[in-house]
Amino acid sequence: MIDIEHRRVLMCPPDYFTVRDVKNPFMASGAPVDHDLAKRQWSAVGDAFTSAGVTVEKIDAVEDLEDMVFAANQVFVGTDSAGTRFIVPSAMRYESRAREVPHYVRWFKQHGFRTIDLRLDAGAGEYLEGHGDLLWHPNRPHVWAGYGFRSTLAGVRKFTEAMEREEIAGVMPLELVDETFYHLDTCFVPLTSHAALVYSPALSAGALASLRGAFKRLHDVSREDAMQFACNGVPVNGYFIASHLSDALWKVVRNEGLKPVIVDTSEFEKAGGSVFCLKVFLD
Ligand code: ARG
């Protein structure tokens, strides 16, 4: 039985991608980006989705928006209680990334998505960074919401109020405590409705207790695996598309009924992102 199914994904080509500013610790290495290699890697990630039965849609890249390739962050996507697809636009912490949001909002409006605008006040510290920090629990009206480095508890609270008011989902905040794992999608990923990978030291004790209560199997990832973005893999249609899996994790993924697919994302990792960050599911 396939637990996590998706048929459409949105990606943004890396036309203007580069590492500029240090927005997260991965960006501090100063390693230069090989732009041709980045383009090939991005195409291979798209091909992996296609092979997994997912249609890849594209949004045009915009000059000067070097991180726009990370399509997971600009909006949160869901389906409301009436079955209408909606987005919640993000309030990004960094100014250059905040400028990406209107481009994505326009794309989603043109494609029939309703907008739930939280009117987040960045001046009051209300930040919310889309699916970087907001992860759906597979097949449940429930969202796990990381906060601490990029999204804030104030942002997550406004999101929670809206999701509850609209009877869309319950939301559980998860505090992040290791700045290297600055987004929830760098240290946690559900593999199925019942099992997840987690790099435990990146989460507060309370956050870990919440996850333990919700997943039958919480598989611990080593720091080495986490630093290579094992938790930034994508479970979809019976596959787990990731940039890296140690032998031990490979077995865990297989035992959970998924077929591992490895794609190289070295150039994007220099900016702090891998497979999960490079896409947003549309369904
Ligand atoms: N350089 C980008 C940033 O720091 C990387 C974003 C990666 N996206 C993600 N969902 N973790 O904002």
Side-chain angles (χ1 to χ4, degrees):
M1 193 203 74
I2 288 170
D3 197 58
I4 303 181
E5 251 197 281
H6 291 283
R7 294 298 159 200
R8 279 173 75 220
V9 73
L10 179 65
M11 294 178 68
C12 176
D15 299 356
Y16 306 103
F17 168 65
T18 195
V19 174
R20 200 189 287 169
D21 313 328
V22 178
K23 305 179 193 96
N24 63 65
F26 292 95
M27 301 178 86
S29 81
V33 173
D34 179 334
H35 294 277
D36 288 329
L37 181 56
K39 283 183 184 151
R40 290 201 296 278
Q41 291 178 344
W42 183 87
S43 298
V45 170
D47 291 346
F49 281 118
T50 308
S51 301
V54 185
T55 303
V56 180
E57 311 241 7
K58 289 177 194 134
I59 177 171
D60 290 336
V62 176
E63 206 176 335
D64 209 35
L65 297 183
E66 73 279 3
D67 272 330
M68 191 170 167
V69 68
F70 295 112
N73 298 125
Q74 300 81 0
V75 302
F76 172 84
V77 180
T79 305
D80 68 17
S81 41
T84 307
R85 291 172 309 161
F86 70 87
I87 56 164
V88 178
S90 297
M92 301 292 295
R93 200 177 267 265
Y94 290 98
E95 188 271 337
S96 78
R97 299 226 60 195
R99 285 188 282 116
E100 301 167 11
V101 176
H103 297 285
Y104 277 83
V105 170
R106 193 174 324 120
W107 190 95
F108 278 91
K109 279 190 177 154
Q110 283 165 354
H111 289 78
F113 287 72
R114 161 169 103 90
T115 302
I116 299 179
D117 193 344
L118 302 182
R119 303 192 185 285
L120 293 163
D121 181 358
E126 293 172 352
Y127 292 109
L128 198 66
E129 300 216 340
H131 293 279
D133 279 320
L134 304 171
L135 271 69
W136 280 104
H137 191 113
N139 306 310
R140 276 186 217 163
H142 182 86
V143 178
W144 298 102
Y147 70 91
F149 297 105
R150 303 293 283 272
S151 302
T152 54
L153 191 54
V156 166
R157 284 214 173 104
K158 274 207 171 165
F159 175 74
T160 306
E161 279 159 25
M163 291 302 104
E164 286 176 355
R165 186 175 58 240
E166 303 242 2
E167 295 180 6
I168 292 169
V171 180
M172 179 57 78
L174 299 176
E175 187 184 3
L176 302 176
V177 296
D178 179 338
E179 68 166 345
T180 300
F181 302 94
Y182 61 98
H183 272 152
L184 182 60
D185 69 4
T186 62
C187 55
F188 165 67
V189 60
L191 295 175
T192 69
S193 308
H194 307 291
L197 299 183
V198 68
Y199 174 60
S200 309
L203 292 145
S204 73
L208 275 175
S210 299
L211 292 177
R212 289 221 171 84
F215 289 90
K216 281 190 199 134
R217 294 176 300 283
L218 210 50
H219 301 286
D220 266 305
V221 169
S222 68
R223 185 170 185 91
E224 206 188 341
D225 279 329
M227 290 296 291
Q228 293 177 78
F229 291 91
C231 296
N232 206 249
V234 176
V236 61
N237 304 340
Y239 298 91
F240 186 64
I241 307 172
S243 58
H244 162 87
L245 289 176
S246 59
D247 291 347
L249 277 186
W250 186 282
K251 282 191 197 117
V252 166
V253 169
R254 288 238 68 135
N255 285 340
E256 291 297 347
L258 301 176
K259 192 170 180 299
V261 175
I262 301 299
V263 286
D264 189 2
T265 57
S266 66
E267 300 317 289
F268 302 102
E269 291 168 30
K270 293 171 184 170
S274 182
V275 188
F276 190 97
C277 308
L278 289 170
K279 61 91 194 79
V280 60
F281 282 122
L282 299 171
D283 50 0

